[in-house]
Amino acid sequence: HDHGHHSHRSLTQVLEIIQGLDLEPEVEDLAKKIFTILGQAEAKIHGKSLEDIHFHEVGELDSIMDCVLGAYLLKKLGVDEVVASAVNPGSGQVLCAHGTYPLPAPAALEILTQAQIPLGEARGHGELTTPTGAALLAAICQDFQKGPQGRPLATGYGAGSKNPSDLPNVLRAILLEKEEGAAPLWYSCNVDDMTGEELGFLMDRLFEAGARDVTFTPLMMKKNRPGHRIDVLTDPSKKDRIRDILLTHSSSLGLKLIHIDKLEMARSFENLGTQEAPLRKKIGTYGTIKKASFEYEDLKRKALAENTSLRQALEEALKDQV
């Protein structure tokens, strides 16, 4: 790849290059998403349609490789969620195809604005957040935090070719493992005009999208109207999908998003049945406190197999422990 030669590719041409690489569908879709974000920013700042814009520096093969290999790496590592710190835009000016501009460059700033990516302290001289970097963050990041949270499993460093004296030109990535019981997010809204069928359909869609828990609570709303409060617990990595489902399939015009702390007892399982007919007991412990209960699905299977009530199946299971 000759860095001295600039190919002014259109978004369609870039997407065709990506499509011709024989990638896994998930990797291809993410790489295309990154470049589409770039294209939308370029189109807005130039006042053109997506079909009419042509990339300059970001249309080069190395930028395409950045996006494709970034998407491939996330798939290869099995990453569930990407979290970044506030970005450092750098300081000074940058020479673009259309002249000299203050940093962040127009395309980068447009992407950061549209994705609501927080800006951190402008440390170091020169361009430290490029349009490609901003588009990668916009496409893959679910949240932005001050510092990493979780158990570090591996760390990688990527160094640029420039060597400024005032700041290391290094990007650090940390592979973290979060606790199984990491605190979820809580969505809540009230509705007074949804039928039982609509609520049931909504619950199915939410669980299919990976919601941890979904509950409907009957309540009396203003103007003496009976309604329901919809509560959904979800992992941060699934919050956008859950939000979209709630706004699409409920009649609510708004949602409350609450960050909560959740205390969970340490859990273990004991199987008192057989491999063919398991009877699993869930055991929760917290200090000296201990609780135990049988899994409902196992009790249900036992009751149906023995043609007894659920209560009888539970009593028999308790007797077998004595």
Side-chain angles (χ1 to χ4, degrees):
H1 169 50
D2 179 10
H3 284 271
H5 174 69
H6 292 287
S7 301
H8 293 182
R9 294 184 175 91
S10 68
L11 176 61
T12 300
Q13 290 173 318
V14 172
L15 297 183
E16 287 175 350
I17 291 174
I18 295 173
Q19 190 168 341
L21 295 177
D22 192 26
L23 302 167
E24 294 182 67
E26 187 176 344
V27 177
E28 179 180 320
D29 290 345
L30 181 53
K32 287 181 176 179
K33 178 181 179 182
I34 296 167
F35 259 96
T36 300
I37 291 172
L38 274 166
Q40 290 169 339
E42 291 281 357
K44 181 172 181 180
I45 62 178
H46 287 92
K48 296 183 178 180
S49 67
L50 270 176
E51 293 75 20
D52 292 333
I53 62 105
H54 283 77
F55 296 116
H56 299 292
E57 290 87 351
V58 296
E60 296 298 325
L61 291 178
D62 54 351
S63 292
I64 298 174
M65 288 170 61
D66 286 341
C67 298
V68 171
L69 293 176
Y72 172 79
L73 181 64
L74 292 175
K75 170 69 174 178
K76 189 72 173 178
L77 293 176
V79 173
D80 297 317
E81 180 185 9
V82 179
V83 177
S85 61
V87 303
N88 180 358
S91 63
Q93 296 178 322
V94 62
L95 178 62
C96 300
H98 298 293
T100 301
Y101 290 88
L103 290 168
L109 184 57
E110 177 61 29
I111 293 168
L112 296 172
T113 302
Q114 292 300 320
Q116 292 293 284
I117 296 175
L119 294 176
E121 181 183 357
R123 298 175 58 236
H125 185 76
E127 185 179 24
L128 297 178
T129 299
T130 65
T132 305
L136 275 160
L137 290 176
I140 69 175
C141 283
Q142 285 80 38
D143 201 3
F144 293 86
Q145 300 173 356
K146 289 186 177 180
Q149 298 180 13
R151 291 187 297 273
L153 302 179
T155 305
Y157 294 88
S161 58
K162 294 181 181 179
N163 190 23
S165 60
D166 51 354
L167 190 72
N169 185 18
V170 173
L171 174 70
R172 180 170 67 178
I174 306 173
L175 186 64
L176 298 167
E177 182 179 59
K178 289 192 173 183
E179 294 292 340
E180 182 69 20
L185 299 173
W186 174 20
Y187 279 113
S188 184
C189 62
N190 297 340
V191 296
D192 62 4
D193 55 354
M194 290 184 66
T195 66
E197 290 86 352
E198 290 174 316
L199 288 169
F201 184 85
L202 170 63
M203 179 178 283
D204 290 341
R205 301 290 79 73
L206 290 167
F207 277 126
E208 287 171 2
R212 284 198 188 187
D213 198 7
V214 181
T215 59
F216 302 144
T217 305
L219 46 77
M220 291 301 295
M221 300 176 62
K222 57 187 178 182
K223 300 182 181 178
N224 294 322
R225 294 176 182 173
H228 292 86
R229 190 182 75 201
I230 301 172
D231 293 314
V232 184
L233 291 181
T234 180
D235 294 304
S237 61
K238 301 181 178 69
K239 68 175 184 179
D240 290 346
R241 178 65 179 145
I242 296 299
R243 174 203 63 203
D244 292 347
I245 290 174
L246 282 168
L247 291 175
T248 301
H249 296 293
S250 81
S251 60
S252 179
L253 298 179
L255 304 171
K256 293 183 283 290
L257 175 59
I258 305 166
H259 295 258
I260 62 175
D261 292 325
K262 185 178 181 182
L263 174 63
E264 289 187 303
M265 303 179 77
R267 300 181 187 185
S268 60
F269 289 87
E270 181 181 353
N271 185 15
L272 302 178
T274 64
Q275 186 173 357
E276 294 76 19
L279 184 59
R280 292 163 296 180
K281 183 169 68 171
K282 181 165 55 180
I283 303 169
T285 56
Y286 184 78
T288 58
I289 304 171
K290 187 173 182 179
K291 299 178 182 179
S293 62
F294 287 98
E295 288 288 292
Y296 166 75
E297 292 296 336
D298 293 347
L299 286 175
K300 174 184 173 182
R301 191 182 304 109
K302 177 179 173 64
L304 292 174
E306 299 175 0
N307 196 26
T308 63
S309 68
L310 194 68
R311 171 64 65 179
Q312 287 175 304
L314 175 60
E315 291 175 348
E316 288 183 14
L318 293 172
K319 288 179 183 178
D320 292 339
Q321 296 184 82
V322 179

